[in-house]
Amino acid sequence: ARSLVVHQLPFLYVQTRSASTGQWTSHLAVNDAWVERTTGQTAWIQVKINGNVQLNRLIADGCLISTAAGSTAYAAAMGASPVPVAAPIMLVVGSNVVSPRNWQPCYLPLDTEIEFVCCDPDKRPIRAFVDGVPSDGDVTNMRVRVSRIGAAQLAFAPGCDLAMK
């Protein structure tokens, strides 16, 4: 009997805060979560890592956080390299980044919490998407970390393991 190669892929735990009500809503994502501009204006997004401001103002069309499972789709279209299925990292990538000019996709450990904060919700509103599903209306914040309750297991026959590709 041949044994299978099994990989556990974590889900993302995503919280979004409504711009109209201030209420937080929780979601689970298999692939990715992102914020993007709602209007024709570029979004001004503050980026926090583990509660600390790492970037005061990202000027872009949006910003995405992806698991390894989601890194081959929208993240790749935004210029990021796919993450190997067994890699214990999350990917953060910007969409049409204007500033900072040296912005590059970054890879963060799975125990990281990332928060995007809209710097100007009146003039430059943002909306959130979780696995491609839009949140209800504009948001002021989106927090993302690895879920402590959800994951998917993928099993591969020997020789067909995606981690080896």
Side-chain angles (χ1 to χ4, degrees):
R2 296 175 11 172
S3 61
L4 297 175
V5 177
V6 178
H7 295 285
Q8 185 160 325
L9 302 175
F11 290 172
L12 295 175
Y13 176 71
V14 182
Q15 294 176 296
T16 56
R17 186 174 185 195
S18 169
S20 60
T21 67
Q23 296 294 314
W24 288 90
T25 305
S26 300
H27 317 267
L28 285 177
V30 175
N31 295 311
D32 49 33
W34 72 89
V35 294
E36 68 179 31
R37 62 190 175 98
T38 302
T39 67
Q41 297 283 335
T42 55
W44 289 0
I45 303 165
Q46 182 183 73
V47 180
K48 294 182 179 181
I49 306 293
N50 295 328
N52 299 311
V53 176
Q54 295 298 312
L55 187 57
N56 230 6
R57 185 178 296 159
L58 171 69
I59 301 173
D61 284 347
C63 202
L64 173 136
I65 301 167
S66 172
T67 63
S71 69
T72 59
Y74 194 35
M78 295 168 75
S81 297
V83 175
V85 70
I89 56 177
M90 292 185 288
L91 167 66
V92 180
V93 60
S95 173
N96 297 320
V97 175
V98 175
S99 177
R101 291 188 184 271
N102 61 347
W103 172 272
Q104 295 292 317
C106 62
Y107 302 90
L108 299 170
L110 288 179
D111 62 352
T112 305
E113 180 180 275
I114 302 133
E115 183 173 3
F116 298 139
V117 181
C118 183
C119 296
D120 189 353
D122 294 325
K123 184 176 179 186
R124 298 173 183 274
I126 59 174
R127 58 187 171 181
F129 292 80
V130 179
D131 278 345
V133 178
S135 63
D136 292 329
D138 293 342
V139 299
T140 58
N141 304 60
M142 184 173 78
R143 282 190 203 132
V144 181
R145 64 169 170 78
V146 168
S147 171
R148 295 184 184 114
I149 61 168
Q153 288 188 330
L154 294 180
F156 299 93
C160 297
D161 185 3
L162 281 180
M164 305 308 289
K165 298 201 183 277

